[in-house]
C-alpha cells in the first residue's frame, strides 16, 4: 500500500501539484447524490408503480404517490454459493437496473463492472438459463451456463463466458462457444470468451470510477461541469476541470457521469484517468 501512495504522489508532482503542502481541511466534504444510492424512488402511474422511472429527492419531495423500491434480487438461474477459500463470490449492484448481479469470481465481477459502465448496455443478466448444445460425436446434449448476457441499445444480445487466460479448461470453453454460435442463435446474437488479457487493470479502474459516479450522480453538478467543458477549447486535463470548482469531489463525480453519458470523451480510455487525464467535450 505504501508503494501505491508513493506512486500517486509522484504523479501529483509530475502535474505540478503537491497535496502534502495543503493545509489540513477544517470541514468535511460529502458527495451529494440527488437520488438514493441504492434502490430508487418510483411514482405511481395510473395506480401502478412505474419501475422505469427514477425520481430525484427534489422530484419526490413531499409527494405521497412515491415509494422507495429496494434493489431487486439477481435473476440468475443459479446463485453464488457462500465464499470459499478458493474463490470470491457475492453480489454487485447495478443502479441503472436497481438489481443485484451475482458473480462467482473476481474476473466475473470485473466484467460486470465494465458492462455497468457502458451506457450502450441496457440490460445485464448474470448466469442466465443454461444452454443446451451438441458436441461433435456426443450422444446427448451438453448444458453450459453463460456468465453474462448483455443487451445493447441496438437490441443485439451478446453472451460472455469469463475464464482465466491460463485456465486448462479455456480451450474446451472456446470450442463450446464456437458450437453455441452455430447452434444457439435464439439465445444470443454472438458469444464471446473474455479473459484477463482482454480486461486490463486500467479498463477496470476506469469502469469502477464511472460506475461509482453514476450511482452518486447529481444532475445539477453534471450541468455545471458540462457548462464549464463547453467553454473549453480542445483537450483539457480532468484535474484542471475538477480543481476549478469549490467542491472538486462533486465535480469529479459529475465529470465521470458526463463521460458515461457520452457528452465528454476520455481521450485515452486504455489508460487510467490518473495516467492519461485529457478529456474533451464531444462535438454534437
Amino acid at each position: 500500500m505504501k508503494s501505491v501512495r508513493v506512486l500517486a504522489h509522484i504523479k501529483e508532482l509530475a502535474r505540478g501539484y503537491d497535496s502534502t503542502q495543503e493545509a489540513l481541511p477544517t470541514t468535511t466534504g460529502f458527495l451529494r447524490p440527488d437520488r438514493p444510492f441504492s434502490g430508487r424512488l418510483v411514482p405511481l402511474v395510473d395506480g401502478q408503480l412505474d419501475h422505469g422511472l427514477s425520481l430525484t429527492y427534489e422530484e419526490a419531495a413531499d409527494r405521497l404517490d412515491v415509494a422507495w423500491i429496494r434493489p431487486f434480487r439477481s435473476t440468475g438461474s443459479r446463485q453464488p454459493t457462500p465464499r470459499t477459500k478458493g474463490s470470491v463470490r457475492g453480489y454487485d449492484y447495478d443502479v441503472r437496473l436497481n438489481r443485484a448481479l451475482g458473480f462467482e469470481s473476481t474476473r466475473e465481477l470485473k466484467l460486470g463492472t465494465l458492462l455497468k459502465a457502458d451506457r450502450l448496455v441496457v440490460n445485464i443478466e448474470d448466469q442466465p438459463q443454461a444452454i443446451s448444445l451438441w458436441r461433435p460425436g456426443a450422444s446427448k446434449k451438453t448444458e453450459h451456463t453463460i456468465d453474462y448476457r448483455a443487451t445493447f441499445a441496438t437490441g443485439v444480445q451478446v453472451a460472455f463466458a469469463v475464464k482465466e487466460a491460463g485456465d486448462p479448461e479455456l480451450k474446451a470453453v472456446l470450442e463450446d462457444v464456437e458450437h453455441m454460435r452455430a447452434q444457439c442463435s435464439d439465445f444470443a446474437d454472438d458469444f464471446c470468451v473474455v479473459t484477463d488479457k482482454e480486461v486490463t487493470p486500467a479498463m477496470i479502474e476506469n469502469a469502477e470510477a464511472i460506475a461509482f459516479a453514476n450511482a452518486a450522480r447529481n444532475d445539477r453538478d453534471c450541468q455545471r461541469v458540462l457548462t464549464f467543458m463547453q467553454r473549453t477549447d480542445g483537450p483539457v486535463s480532468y484535474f484542471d476541470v475538477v480543481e476549478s470548482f469549490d467542491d472538486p469531489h462533486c465535480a469529479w463525480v459529475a465529470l465521470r457521469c458526463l463521460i458515461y453519458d457520452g457528452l465528454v470523451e476520455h481521450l485515452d480510455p486504455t489508460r487510467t484517468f490518473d495516467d492519461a487525464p485529457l478529456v474533451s467535450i464531444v462535438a454534437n
Side-chain angles (χ1 to χ4, degrees):
M1 181 58 69
K2 182 182 292 186
S3 62
V4 173
R5 293 299 307 149
V6 170
L7 181 58
H9 184 58
I10 291 173
K11 291 178 180 178
E12 284 183 353
L13 296 179
R15 63 183 179 88
Y17 171 72
D18 187 354
S19 59
T20 64
Q21 300 303 312
E22 287 190 344
L24 291 175
T26 57
T27 59
T28 302
F30 298 94
L31 297 179
R32 44 175 181 248
D34 59 11
R35 64 201 75 205
F37 198 80
S38 67
R40 62 175 51 164
L41 297 171
V42 176
L44 281 170
V45 178
D46 297 329
Q48 300 290 328
L49 290 171
D50 188 344
H51 294 280
L53 296 176
S54 176
L55 301 184
T56 64
Y57 293 121
E58 184 176 356
E59 291 169 337
D62 297 324
R63 289 175 56 173
L64 299 179
D65 61 341
V66 174
W68 177 79
I69 303 300
R70 61 173 292 171
F72 294 105
R73 295 180 181 273
S74 160
T75 60
S77 61
R78 70 183 188 206
Q79 299 300 313
T81 57
R83 180 177 174 177
T84 66
K85 292 183 179 180
S87 63
V88 176
R89 301 163 184 260
Y91 294 92
D92 197 12
Y93 172 62
D94 190 340
V95 68
R96 307 168 310 165
L97 303 173
N98 194 31
R99 191 171 74 224
L101 298 175
F103 61 88
E104 296 181 330
S105 68
T106 54
R107 289 181 295 278
E108 288 184 25
L109 173 61
K110 290 174 181 178
L111 178 61
T113 302
L114 281 177
L115 295 174
K116 289 196 307 176
D118 187 345
R119 72 182 182 280
L120 299 179
V121 175
V122 297
N123 191 28
I124 306 171
E125 300 166 79
D126 56 301
Q127 307 289 338
Q129 197 65 37
I131 305 170
S132 295
L133 62 130
W134 286 105
R135 287 173 174 166
S139 59
K140 62 179 182 178
K141 285 188 172 183
T142 298
E143 287 199 344
H144 188 107
T145 302
I146 285 291
D147 295 311
Y148 290 107
R149 178 168 59 181
T151 303
F152 290 80
T154 58
V156 171
Q157 290 187 315
V158 180
F160 295 94
V162 184
K163 280 292 179 184
E164 184 179 1
D167 193 320
E169 297 181 359
L170 178 59
K171 182 179 178 181
V173 173
L174 288 169
E175 292 174 351
D176 279 350
V177 163
E178 288 299 323
H179 301 322
M180 292 178 202
R181 285 199 183 101
Q183 303 172 30
C184 307
S185 58
D186 58 333
F187 181 86
D189 298 290
D190 197 9
F191 295 81
C192 297
V193 178
V194 179
T195 71
D196 38 309
K197 288 186 176 180
E198 289 80 30
V199 180
T200 66
M203 293 168 60
I204 294 302
E205 184 173 328
N206 290 345
E208 288 174 342
I210 289 175
F212 174 83
N214 210 28
R217 173 186 293 265
N218 182 299
D219 286 339
R220 288 184 178 175
D221 288 341
C222 291
Q223 186 57 54
R224 289 168 57 220
V225 175
L226 179 61
T227 300
F228 178 91
M229 290 294 299
Q230 289 171 336
R231 294 199 300 262
T232 62
D233 184 17
V236 60
S237 168
Y238 92 90
F239 291 110
D240 293 337
V241 175
V242 300
E243 290 166 8
S244 299
F245 292 86
D246 294 333
D247 42 9
H249 292 89
C250 293
W252 181 95
V253 167
L255 183 55
R256 281 159 170 76
C257 286
L258 294 174
I259 292 172
Y260 170 84
D261 294 339
L263 300 175
V264 172
E265 179 183 11
H266 180 206
L267 297 184
D268 191 354
T270 62
R271 301 171 65 197
T272 66
F273 290 110
D274 285 348
D275 293 332
L278 291 183
V279 293
S280 176
I281 194 76
V282 175
N284 293 330

Short mmCIF file of all heavy atoms in Angstrom, two decimals, residues 125-156:
data_model
loop_
_atom_site.label_atom_id
_atom_site.label_comp_id
_atom_site.label_asym_id
_atom_site.label_seq_id
_atom_site.Cartn_x
_atom_site.Cartn_y
_atom_site.Cartn_z
N GLU A 125 -27.77 -9.74 -17.64
CA GLU A 125 -28.30 -10.93 -16.98
C GLU A 125 -27.12 -11.78 -16.51
O GLU A 125 -26.29 -12.19 -17.32
CB GLU A 125 -29.17 -11.74 -17.95
CG GLU A 125 -30.37 -10.98 -18.49
CD GLU A 125 -30.99 -11.69 -19.67
OE1 GLU A 125 -31.74 -12.67 -19.45
OE2 GLU A 125 -30.70 -11.29 -20.82
N ASP A 126 -27.04 -12.01 -15.22
CA ASP A 126 -25.98 -12.85 -14.68
C ASP A 126 -26.46 -14.29 -14.61
O ASP A 126 -27.59 -14.56 -14.19
CB ASP A 126 -25.56 -12.36 -13.29
CG ASP A 126 -26.72 -12.30 -12.32
OD1 ASP A 126 -27.69 -11.57 -12.59
OD2 ASP A 126 -26.67 -13.00 -11.27
N GLN A 127 -25.62 -15.20 -15.04
CA GLN A 127 -25.94 -16.63 -15.01
C GLN A 127 -27.34 -16.92 -15.57
O GLN A 127 -28.19 -17.48 -14.88
CB GLN A 127 -25.84 -17.17 -13.58
CG GLN A 127 -24.54 -16.86 -12.87
CD GLN A 127 -23.36 -17.65 -13.42
OE1 GLN A 127 -23.55 -18.69 -14.04
NE2 GLN A 127 -22.16 -17.16 -13.21
N PRO A 128 -27.60 -16.53 -16.84
CA PRO A 128 -28.91 -16.83 -17.41
C PRO A 128 -29.12 -18.33 -17.57
O PRO A 128 -28.22 -19.12 -17.33
CB PRO A 128 -28.86 -16.11 -18.77
CG PRO A 128 -27.42 -16.00 -19.10
CD PRO A 128 -26.71 -15.86 -17.79
N GLN A 129 -30.32 -18.69 -18.01
CA GLN A 129 -30.68 -20.10 -18.14
C GLN A 129 -29.64 -20.87 -18.96
O GLN A 129 -29.10 -20.37 -19.94
CB GLN A 129 -32.05 -20.23 -18.81
CG GLN A 129 -32.71 -21.58 -18.63
CD GLN A 129 -33.07 -21.87 -17.17
OE1 GLN A 129 -33.47 -20.98 -16.45
NE2 GLN A 129 -32.91 -23.12 -16.76
N ALA A 130 -29.34 -22.09 -18.53
CA ALA A 130 -28.32 -22.90 -19.19
C ALA A 130 -28.67 -23.16 -20.66
O ALA A 130 -29.84 -23.26 -21.03
CB ALA A 130 -28.15 -24.23 -18.45
N ILE A 131 -27.62 -23.25 -21.48
CA ILE A 131 -27.76 -23.53 -22.91
C ILE A 131 -27.48 -25.01 -23.15
O ILE A 131 -26.57 -25.59 -22.57
CB ILE A 131 -26.76 -22.68 -23.73
CG1 ILE A 131 -26.91 -21.20 -23.40
CG2 ILE A 131 -26.93 -22.92 -25.21
CD1 ILE A 131 -25.80 -20.35 -23.99
N SER A 132 -28.26 -25.61 -24.03
CA SER A 132 -28.01 -27.00 -24.44
C SER A 132 -27.37 -27.00 -25.82
O SER A 132 -27.87 -26.34 -26.74
CB SER A 132 -29.33 -27.78 -24.47
OG SER A 132 -29.88 -27.88 -23.18
N LEU A 133 -26.27 -27.71 -25.97
CA LEU A 133 -25.56 -27.75 -27.24
C LEU A 133 -25.04 -29.15 -27.52
O LEU A 133 -24.81 -29.94 -26.61
CB LEU A 133 -24.41 -26.74 -27.24
CG LEU A 133 -23.30 -26.97 -26.21
CD1 LEU A 133 -21.95 -26.94 -26.88
CD2 LEU A 133 -23.35 -25.93 -25.10
N TRP A 134 -24.87 -29.41 -28.80
CA TRP A 134 -24.29 -30.69 -29.24
C TRP A 134 -22.79 -30.52 -29.42
O TRP A 134 -22.33 -29.60 -30.10
CB TRP A 134 -24.91 -31.14 -30.56
CG TRP A 134 -26.31 -31.65 -30.45
CD1 TRP A 134 -27.44 -31.01 -30.82
CD2 TRP A 134 -26.71 -32.93 -29.95
NE1 TRP A 134 -28.54 -31.79 -30.58
CE2 TRP A 134 -28.12 -32.99 -30.05
CE3 TRP A 134 -26.02 -34.03 -29.43
CZ2 TRP A 134 -28.85 -34.10 -29.64
CZ3 TRP A 134 -26.75 -35.13 -29.03
CH2 TRP A 134 -28.15 -35.17 -29.13
N ARG A 135 -22.03 -31.42 -28.80
CA ARG A 135 -20.60 -31.51 -29.06
C ARG A 135 -20.37 -32.59 -30.11
O ARG A 135 -21.11 -33.59 -30.13
CB ARG A 135 -19.82 -31.83 -27.79
CG ARG A 135 -19.72 -30.67 -26.81
CD ARG A 135 -19.08 -31.10 -25.51
NE ARG A 135 -18.85 -29.99 -24.61
CZ ARG A 135 -18.55 -30.12 -23.32
NH1 ARG A 135 -18.46 -31.35 -22.78
NH2 ARG A 135 -18.34 -29.07 -22.56
N PRO A 136 -19.38 -32.43 -30.99
CA PRO A 136 -19.13 -33.43 -32.03
C PRO A 136 -18.94 -34.82 -31.43
O PRO A 136 -18.16 -35.02 -30.49
CB PRO A 136 -17.85 -32.94 -32.70
CG PRO A 136 -17.84 -31.46 -32.46
CD PRO A 136 -18.45 -31.28 -31.10
N GLY A 137 -19.68 -35.80 -31.97
CA GLY A 137 -19.54 -37.18 -31.53
C GLY A 137 -20.29 -37.53 -30.27
O GLY A 137 -20.29 -38.70 -29.84
N ALA A 138 -20.95 -36.53 -29.64
CA ALA A 138 -21.64 -36.80 -28.39
C ALA A 138 -22.99 -37.47 -28.65
O ALA A 138 -23.61 -37.27 -29.70
CB ALA A 138 -21.85 -35.50 -27.62
N SER A 139 -23.45 -38.30 -27.71
CA SER A 139 -24.72 -38.98 -27.85
C SER A 139 -25.87 -38.21 -27.21
O SER A 139 -27.03 -38.55 -27.39
CB SER A 139 -24.63 -40.38 -27.21
OG SER A 139 -24.29 -40.26 -25.84
N LYS A 140 -25.53 -37.17 -26.44
CA LYS A 140 -26.57 -36.33 -25.85
C LYS A 140 -26.04 -34.90 -25.72
O LYS A 140 -24.83 -34.65 -25.80
CB LYS A 140 -26.99 -36.86 -24.49
CG LYS A 140 -25.89 -36.87 -23.44
CD LYS A 140 -26.41 -37.38 -22.10
CE LYS A 140 -25.31 -37.35 -21.04
NZ LYS A 140 -25.83 -37.81 -19.72
N LYS A 141 -26.96 -33.97 -25.51
CA LYS A 141 -26.58 -32.56 -25.42
C LYS A 141 -25.86 -32.26 -24.11
O LYS A 141 -26.06 -32.92 -23.10
CB LYS A 141 -27.82 -31.67 -25.54
CG LYS A 141 -28.38 -31.55 -26.95
CD LYS A 141 -29.48 -30.50 -27.01
CE LYS A 141 -29.89 -30.23 -28.46
NZ LYS A 141 -30.91 -29.15 -28.55
N THR A 142 -25.01 -31.23 -24.19
CA THR A 142 -24.29 -30.74 -23.01
C THR A 142 -24.90 -29.41 -22.59
O THR A 142 -25.22 -28.57 -23.43
CB THR A 142 -22.79 -30.53 -23.32
OG1 THR A 142 -22.22 -31.79 -23.67
CG2 THR A 142 -22.07 -29.95 -22.12
N GLU A 143 -25.06 -29.20 -21.29
CA GLU A 143 -25.57 -27.92 -20.80
C GLU A 143 -24.42 -27.04 -20.34
O GLU A 143 -23.46 -27.50 -19.73
CB GLU A 143 -26.56 -28.14 -19.65
CG GLU A 143 -27.89 -28.69 -20.08
CD GLU A 143 -28.98 -28.47 -19.04
OE1 GLU A 143 -28.63 -28.18 -17.88
OE2 GLU A 143 -30.16 -28.58 -19.40
N HIS A 144 -24.52 -25.75 -20.69
CA HIS A 144 -23.48 -24.78 -20.31
C HIS A 144 -24.16 -23.51 -19.85
O HIS A 144 -25.06 -22.99 -20.53
CB HIS A 144 -22.57 -24.49 -21.51
CG HIS A 144 -21.37 -23.67 -21.16
ND1 HIS A 144 -20.10 -24.19 -21.09
CD2 HIS A 144 -21.24 -22.36 -20.84
CE1 HIS A 144 -19.24 -23.25 -20.75
NE2 HIS A 144 -19.92 -22.12 -20.59
N THR A 145 -23.76 -23.00 -18.70
CA THR A 145 -24.31 -21.75 -18.18
C THR A 145 -23.34 -20.61 -18.47
O THR A 145 -22.21 -20.61 -18.00
CB THR A 145 -24.57 -21.83 -16.67
OG1 THR A 145 -25.46 -22.91 -16.40
CG2 THR A 145 -25.20 -20.54 -16.16
N ILE A 146 -23.80 -19.65 -19.27
CA ILE A 146 -23.01 -18.48 -19.61
C ILE A 146 -22.94 -17.54 -18.39
O ILE A 146 -23.89 -17.46 -17.60
CB ILE A 146 -23.64 -17.76 -20.82
CG1 ILE A 146 -23.35 -18.53 -22.11
CG2 ILE A 146 -23.16 -16.34 -20.95
CD1 ILE A 146 -21.89 -18.51 -22.52
N ASP A 147 -21.84 -16.83 -18.23
CA ASP A 147 -21.69 -15.95 -17.07
C ASP A 147 -22.55 -14.70 -17.17
O ASP A 147 -23.17 -14.29 -16.18
CB ASP A 147 -20.21 -15.57 -16.90
CG ASP A 147 -19.35 -16.78 -16.59
OD1 ASP A 147 -19.73 -17.54 -15.68
OD2 ASP A 147 -18.34 -16.99 -17.26
N TYR A 148 -22.58 -14.06 -18.34
CA TYR A 148 -23.40 -12.86 -18.52
C TYR A 148 -24.01 -12.86 -19.92
O TYR A 148 -23.39 -13.32 -20.88
CB TYR A 148 -22.56 -11.58 -18.39
CG TYR A 148 -22.08 -11.26 -17.00
CD1 TYR A 148 -20.74 -11.42 -16.67
CD2 TYR A 148 -22.95 -10.79 -16.02
CE1 TYR A 148 -20.27 -11.12 -15.40
CE2 TYR A 148 -22.49 -10.49 -14.74
CZ TYR A 148 -21.16 -10.65 -14.44
OH TYR A 148 -20.71 -10.36 -13.19
N ARG A 149 -25.21 -12.31 -20.01
CA ARG A 149 -25.78 -11.98 -21.31
C ARG A 149 -26.14 -10.49 -21.25
O ARG A 149 -26.92 -10.07 -20.40
CB ARG A 149 -27.02 -12.81 -21.62
CG ARG A 149 -27.65 -12.44 -22.97
CD ARG A 149 -28.70 -13.45 -23.42
NE ARG A 149 -29.78 -13.58 -22.44
CZ ARG A 149 -30.80 -14.43 -22.60
NH1 ARG A 149 -30.88 -15.21 -23.66
NH2 ARG A 149 -31.76 -14.50 -21.67
N ALA A 150 -25.54 -9.71 -22.17
CA ALA A 150 -25.76 -8.26 -22.20
C ALA A 150 -26.61 -7.89 -23.39
O ALA A 150 -26.39 -8.39 -24.50
CB ALA A 150 -24.41 -7.53 -22.26
N THR A 151 -27.58 -7.02 -23.16
CA THR A 151 -28.41 -6.50 -24.23
C THR A 151 -28.01 -5.06 -24.49
O THR A 151 -27.97 -4.24 -23.55
CB THR A 151 -29.90 -6.56 -23.87
OG1 THR A 151 -30.26 -7.90 -23.56
CG2 THR A 151 -30.76 -6.06 -25.03
N PHE A 152 -27.68 -4.75 -25.73
CA PHE A 152 -27.25 -3.41 -26.09
C PHE A 152 -28.43 -2.58 -26.59
O PHE A 152 -29.50 -3.11 -26.91
CB PHE A 152 -26.15 -3.48 -27.15
CG PHE A 152 -24.85 -4.03 -26.61
CD1 PHE A 152 -24.67 -5.39 -26.46
CD2 PHE A 152 -23.82 -3.18 -26.25
CE1 PHE A 152 -23.49 -5.91 -25.95
CE2 PHE A 152 -22.63 -3.68 -25.74
CZ PHE A 152 -22.46 -5.04 -25.59
N ALA A 153 -28.23 -1.27 -26.65
CA ALA A 153 -29.30 -0.36 -27.06
C ALA A 153 -29.82 -0.68 -28.45
O ALA A 153 -30.97 -0.38 -28.78
CB ALA A 153 -28.81 1.09 -26.99
N THR A 154 -29.00 -1.28 -29.28
CA THR A 154 -29.41 -1.66 -30.63
C THR A 154 -30.31 -2.89 -30.64
O THR A 154 -30.86 -3.25 -31.68
CB THR A 154 -28.18 -1.95 -31.49
OG1 THR A 154 -27.41 -3.00 -30.87
CG2 THR A 154 -27.31 -0.71 -31.64
N GLY A 155 -30.44 -3.56 -29.50
CA GLY A 155 -31.20 -4.79 -29.43
C GLY A 155 -30.34 -6.04 -29.55
O GLY A 155 -30.82 -7.15 -29.32
N VAL A 156 -29.07 -5.87 -29.90
CA VAL A 156 -28.15 -7.01 -30.02
C VAL A 156 -27.84 -7.58 -28.65
O VAL A 156 -27.59 -6.85 -27.69
CB VAL A 156 -26.84 -6.57 -30.73
CG1 VAL A 156 -25.80 -7.68 -30.68
CG2 VAL A 156 -27.12 -6.18 -32.17
#
